[in-house]
Amino acid sequence: MKTKEVLILPGDGIGPEVCHEAKKVLEHINDTKDLGITISESAVGGCAFEEFGNPLPEKTLKLAQRSDAILLGAVGGPSWDNLDYDLRPERALLGLRSELDLFANLRPAILSKYLSDSSSLKPEKVLDLDMLIVRELTGGIYFGEPRGRSDTNESAFNTMVYSKNEIERIGRVAFEAAQKRNKKLCSVDKANVLEVSVLWREVISDLADEYPDVHLSHMLVDNAAMQLVREPKQFDVIVTGNLFGDILSDIAAMLTGSIGMLPSASLNSKNQGLYEPVHGSAPDIAGKGLANPIAAILSVAMMLKYSFSLNEASSDIEIAIQEVLSEGYITHDLEGNNNKKLSTSEMGNKIIEKLI
């Protein structure tokens, strides 16, 4: 059996805490099911800058390129806010996406029936919520050239660029995801204003002919943001560009009660993936045992499914988490019984108990 190489990049803030719990779960299921996974770790983000003067050291990048899958905690924090743009911790994340060509970001927004009271919306609006946002990750305004500031420093500029090929490949990922779900795909753009979005809509519409079993609709991004908080269950799969996907997926995350519950996967054409919780580094609670590790642990479940096709092991983790939640155990970011609120490490241990 070929060894599966996993690289863990804990990063900054609460990243090391949640990654520690995710690593415990991964090691446990790897041992009990003999999955053949080897694990290594390396520095990334602000902590890497402090040690190496670079948020994405060459050693880390080489390990990432060699790995089959990567688990990342979080990067960034106020300690590095005044660094030059190219040295900021977030540049490490953009660098990994670019160097590994991780063009497809999958962000599920699923509300556990045991946490309906934690959502910011009325329970009936979000009960059984299960949607997937497919975000293009290596193009658009975050990577477009030229970018910079004027010579007088009185203005700044970024360029939004998408090619037909970039839109087609993310479109195919979204259509194929919709085929495996409820066969509904909503493409989100700003075609009433942006030429880039006009091309986006044309390419996605042309692709629809290849997927006749999927119902395609289009929606402007401002309306999509409104509809996500008005009637979120109308959506099944959403596909959109880099900037719009960044914003909409955070809105969708909060519908589930806590951003600490949601994992994500960023994949390339070889299914090499970067898996991470959608939350940030939360430096205000770092080291206090308050962080929710469930998103990081669910990121491991996504890793087993998408990069290694280990669907049974992935499902085992998801079921274990639901069993813990069904018994009323929660972390401090969730609404519920204070007597059943667990620390970061206690939640990790409780999930492992259900895997035994």
Side-chain angles (χ1 to χ4, degrees):
M1 181 171 58
K2 180 182 179 296
T3 299
K4 306 169 185 69
E5 296 189 26
V6 171
L7 173 64
I8 297 182
L9 304 176
D12 308 316
I14 62 172
E17 295 170 73
V18 298
C19 276
H20 181 70
E21 301 311 308
K23 182 181 179 183
K24 281 163 42 177
V25 171
L26 179 58
E27 288 176 332
H28 176 84
I29 205 160
N30 183 44
D31 291 341
T32 57
K33 290 185 175 291
D34 193 23
L35 301 180
I37 292 172
T38 62
I39 301 171
S40 59
E41 291 192 27
S42 194
V44 75
C47 63
F49 172 79
E50 296 297 336
E51 186 172 356
F52 302 103
N54 187 337
L56 182 58
E58 187 67 22
K59 174 188 173 184
T60 298
L61 179 58
K62 287 181 177 179
L63 284 171
Q65 290 168 329
R66 192 179 69 205
S67 299
D68 299 300
I70 302 160
L71 176 67
L72 184 139
V75 294
S79 300
W80 305 286
D81 281 350
N82 294 323
L83 290 176
D84 290 343
Y85 178 75
D86 288 330
L87 296 176
R88 289 174 62 90
E90 296 81 3
R91 296 299 297 170
L93 187 52
L94 294 177
L96 286 168
R97 291 171 182 171
S98 179
E99 291 291 333
L100 301 179
D101 198 23
L102 303 171
F103 70 91
N105 181 230
L106 309 182
R107 288 180 63 162
I110 301 171
L111 177 65
S112 169
K113 63 183 178 181
Y114 306 110
L115 297 177
S116 59
D117 290 338
S118 293
S119 175
S120 54
L121 298 188
K122 296 176 181 177
E124 61 268 23
K125 291 287 186 181
V126 290
L127 189 64
D128 299 322
L129 178 69
D130 182 351
M131 77 171 71
L132 176 67
I133 296 180
V134 180
R135 169 189 171 194
E136 200 289 324
L137 206 57
T138 57
I141 200 166
Y142 293 168
F143 292 95
E145 297 289 347
R147 62 174 174 85
R149 297 194 177 197
S150 66
D151 293 339
T152 61
N153 209 32
E154 293 297 317
S155 63
F157 52 93
N158 292 86
T159 306
M160 181 181 286
V161 180
Y162 269 117
S163 69
K164 181 178 179 180
N165 288 338
E166 287 176 315
I167 301 168
E168 278 186 345
R169 68 177 185 174
I170 194 66
R172 292 188 190 282
V173 171
F175 273 107
E176 289 168 12
Q179 283 181 319
K180 296 172 184 176
R181 292 170 55 93
N182 296 314
K183 297 180 170 58
K184 284 174 53 182
L185 176 63
C186 179
S187 177
V188 173
D189 57 43
K190 191 64 176 170
N192 61 333
V193 173
L194 302 175
E195 287 294 334
V196 170
S197 284
V198 173
L199 177 64
W200 180 283
R201 187 171 292 206
E202 290 171 355
V203 173
I204 295 293
S205 296
D206 288 344
L207 270 181
D209 294 338
E210 300 179 27
Y211 303 89
D213 56 331
V214 175
H215 177 264
L216 172 66
S217 61
H218 300 275
M219 190 175 289
L220 297 176
V221 64
D222 43 351
N223 186 29
M226 181 180 70
Q227 295 297 332
L228 275 173
V229 295
R230 175 182 173 273
E231 207 64 50
K233 288 191 288 184
Q234 69 182 280
F235 298 107
D236 185 49
V237 180
I238 293 174
V239 62
T240 191
N242 208 340
L243 174 62
F244 300 154
D246 194 358
I247 297 167
L248 294 180
S249 54
D250 277 0
I251 295 174
M254 286 313 299
L255 302 179
T256 66
S258 172
I259 203 167
M261 292 294 298
L262 299 180
S264 72
S266 302
L267 306 173
N268 62 21
S269 57
K270 301 180 292 185
N271 284 332
Q272 184 185 29
L274 172 70
Y275 300 86
E276 58 180 320
V278 304
H279 60 66
S281 61
D284 56 318
I285 61 168
K288 299 179 180 179
L290 299 177
N292 186 344
I294 291 178
I297 295 170
L298 283 171
S299 294
V300 168
M302 289 190 80
M303 173 195 296
L304 296 177
K305 179 179 181 180
Y306 286 101
S307 284
F308 301 130
S309 298
L310 295 168
N311 293 345
E312 182 181 335
S314 174
S315 180
D316 286 348
I317 293 174
E318 293 172 346
I319 291 169
I321 290 171
Q322 290 305 309
E323 288 182 1
V324 170
L325 295 175
S326 73
E327 295 175 2
Y329 293 106
I330 52 176
T331 45
H332 291 264
D333 54 316
L334 297 169
E335 296 291 333
N337 187 342
N338 284 332
N339 294 326
K340 288 201 168 184
K341 288 195 172 182
L342 305 180
S343 69
T344 308
S345 60
E346 288 171 340
M347 178 57 79
N349 293 336
K350 186 66 70 173
I351 291 168
I352 288 174
E353 283 179 22
K354 301 300 180 181
L355 286 169
I356 294 175

